[in-house]
Structures are given as structure tokens and as C-alpha cells.
Amino acid sequence: MRENLEIVFNKNGVLAGFTNRFGGVSEGTFESLNLADHVGDDPLKVAQNREILATALGIMPVNLKFMSQIHSNRVEILQDFNDDLPPCDGVITSLKGVALCVLVADCAPVLIIDEHLGVVAAVHAGRAGVTSKICTNAVGLMTSEFGCRASNLRVFIGANIKVQNYEVGKLDLGEFNRYKKDGKFDINAALLDEFAKLGVGQISIDPRCTFERDELFSYRKQSRTGRFCGFVMNRATSVNSKK
């Protein structure tokens, strides 16, 4: 495991994990492994950083699939390697050798895996996505389009901003107001309940808070900053078709 990668799953041909700030070439406020090309960093350095990630995963940079994230509950299916994804905040695929990537700097990067069917998903779960149930949409598509069962899914929720640092004040979150306390929103509690209702039992949460940890980018701490990512890739040469 490289110092800039934190592998959380590597089994049955599926590889998943999260990057951090280490091991890249970006400078200043973007130091050093910034993977976002929309935050004002030098595009050439971002391209180099993505090459570093691709090399670590054993694939070509073109095999990294990043979304144009829009803080929505829209989930797309990558059916062909050459597909251009429309703006979205979740992507699912059964393709092999393609790493789905979700960029974050306080929002929750969520990776969903069906290791038996070789189906994987990457989801950007910020406040807007969580309160519009983007993870429910992702699991629903994995079920309807790929035959996945919620009980077979593994979920990894990466480091995000924890409730003690996520001030939303008097913002009305509708049914999600129950996850507010003293004007602060608990993303992880909302996600845990959502996945529990869906019947997903295998859930892991990174306990770190992006706002408090220097090895992670945080927009709330430093608005001009980079993005780390969650990545998930189906590397299997064959998959079990039994459900």
C-alpha cells in the first residue's frame, strides 16, 4: 500500500480505497495530491496527480472515471468504456479495469461493492445528496439493473466532515432535521440509517473528520483547496453470476 492510498477492500477482484493529500506534485494550498481539475490548480499538475493515482492502481490514466459532480441525487450507469457521463453524483459499473472516482473535501465519499456480481459504485454524498437520498437511488439501480441484493452489498463511507464541525444553522432539512443538533448536521448518522433501511448490513465508516485532519483536504477549513478521492474498481477476470 502506497502512502498516498488507503486501501479498504481488496478481494475477489475488487479494489477500493481512498487517497489523501500525500504523494502528489501540486503546490501551495493544493499540496500535494489534488485530483480535482475545477478548483484552480495547475491543470498539468492535476494531470500528473491523476497519473500517479492510475499508476498506483495499475491502470492507464484514461481508465480513471471522474464525475462532473453537481450536488444532486443523480446516479448514472457506465455501460461502455467510452461513454461520456452527464453531470451526476453517482456512477455504477460492471466494467473491468475501470476505476470509478468520487472527489471530496468534506462531503462523504461512498463506495458500494457487490463483490459476487462484480458491480461497483462511487457516490458523492454531501448534504444535498444525502437529503435527496442519492444512496437509495444508487442501491436501487444496482438492484434493478444488475440484479444485486442489498444484503450482499458492502459499503465504505470515507472521511468527511463530522457533526461537531458541520454548521448548517437554521437551514430546514425537512425529514432530515432529525439529524441536526444545535444547528449541526450529522451526515454519517443519516447515511447509516438510510443503508439500514435498505437492508445493507456491511457498512464501514472512516472515523476521521476532514476539518480536523491535515492529511485530508477540507473546503470548510480552507475554501481554496484540493480534493481527495474515493476509488473503486472491478479487476475480476470473471464474476459469480449466482444471486
Side-chain angles (χ1 to χ4, degrees):
M1 181 172 65
R2 296 167 61 96
E3 66 172 6
N4 55 348
L5 297 185
E6 300 162 13
I7 304 300
V8 296
F9 189 83
N10 187 6
K11 183 180 177 183
N12 292 337
V14 177
L15 178 69
F18 302 93
T19 64
N20 51 44
R21 295 188 70 146
F22 303 138
V25 299
S26 292
E27 301 173 341
T29 189
F30 304 111
E31 186 180 359
S32 65
L33 191 65
N34 167 47
L35 296 166
D37 59 5
H38 66 286
V39 294
D41 195 4
D42 183 340
L44 293 178
K45 293 187 182 299
V46 176
Q48 285 182 265
N49 288 337
R50 291 186 176 187
E51 288 180 9
I52 290 169
L53 173 59
T55 299
L57 298 181
I59 59 177
M60 298 295 292
V62 70
N63 288 50
L64 298 173
K65 292 295 182 179
F66 290 88
M67 297 173 275
S68 296
Q69 298 169 192
I70 54 174
H71 292 277
S72 69
N73 67 351
R74 183 169 180 171
V75 181
E76 297 291 333
I77 297 174
L78 184 69
Q79 297 178 324
D80 183 87
F81 175 80
N82 295 314
D83 284 351
D84 289 325
L85 289 171
C88 62
D89 288 276
V91 60
I92 304 166
T93 196
S94 61
L95 296 175
K96 302 175 182 64
V98 176
L100 305 181
C101 300
V102 49
L103 294 169
V104 290
D106 285 334
C107 295
V110 180
L111 309 177
I112 309 174
I113 299 167
D114 187 324
E115 63 185 281
H116 304 291
L117 296 182
V119 180
V120 297
V123 178
H124 171 231
R127 184 185 71 244
V130 171
T131 57
S132 56
K133 301 182 180 180
I134 187 171
C135 291
T136 295
N137 291 349
V139 172
L141 280 174
M142 293 178 77
T143 300
S144 64
E145 301 301 316
F146 295 94
C148 299
R149 292 182 177 179
S151 58
N152 290 335
L153 300 178
R154 292 178 179 265
V155 171
F156 295 90
I157 301 172
N160 57 80
I161 190 164
K162 298 301 183 282
V163 60
Q164 64 268 23
N165 295 308
Y166 195 7
E167 179 68 51
V168 296
K170 296 181 179 180
L171 184 65
D172 185 3
L173 302 180
E175 65 177 291
F176 286 84
N177 281 328
R178 64 183 180 272
Y179 299 106
K180 283 176 57 178
K181 182 177 181 181
D182 298 326
K184 297 179 180 180
F185 181 50
D186 193 336
I187 286 180
N188 286 332
L191 286 172
L192 277 174
D193 283 355
E194 182 176 5
F195 281 117
K197 290 177 181 177
L198 292 169
V200 177
Q202 301 179 87
I203 308 170
S204 298
I205 298 182
D206 191 318
R208 294 175 298 172
C209 177
T210 47
F211 189 87
E212 298 174 352
R213 300 296 291 262
D214 291 339
E215 75 270 22
L216 301 167
F217 294 108
S218 172
Y219 179 81
R220 286 232 165 186
K221 182 168 63 177
Q222 188 178 22
S223 60
R224 183 174 170 82
T225 192
R227 302 292 187 272
F228 66 98
C229 89
F231 58 86
V232 62
M233 179 172 63
N234 176 22
R235 302 186 302 180
T237 55
S238 62
V239 296
N240 182 0
S241 62
K242 295 181 181 180
K243 298 191 281 289

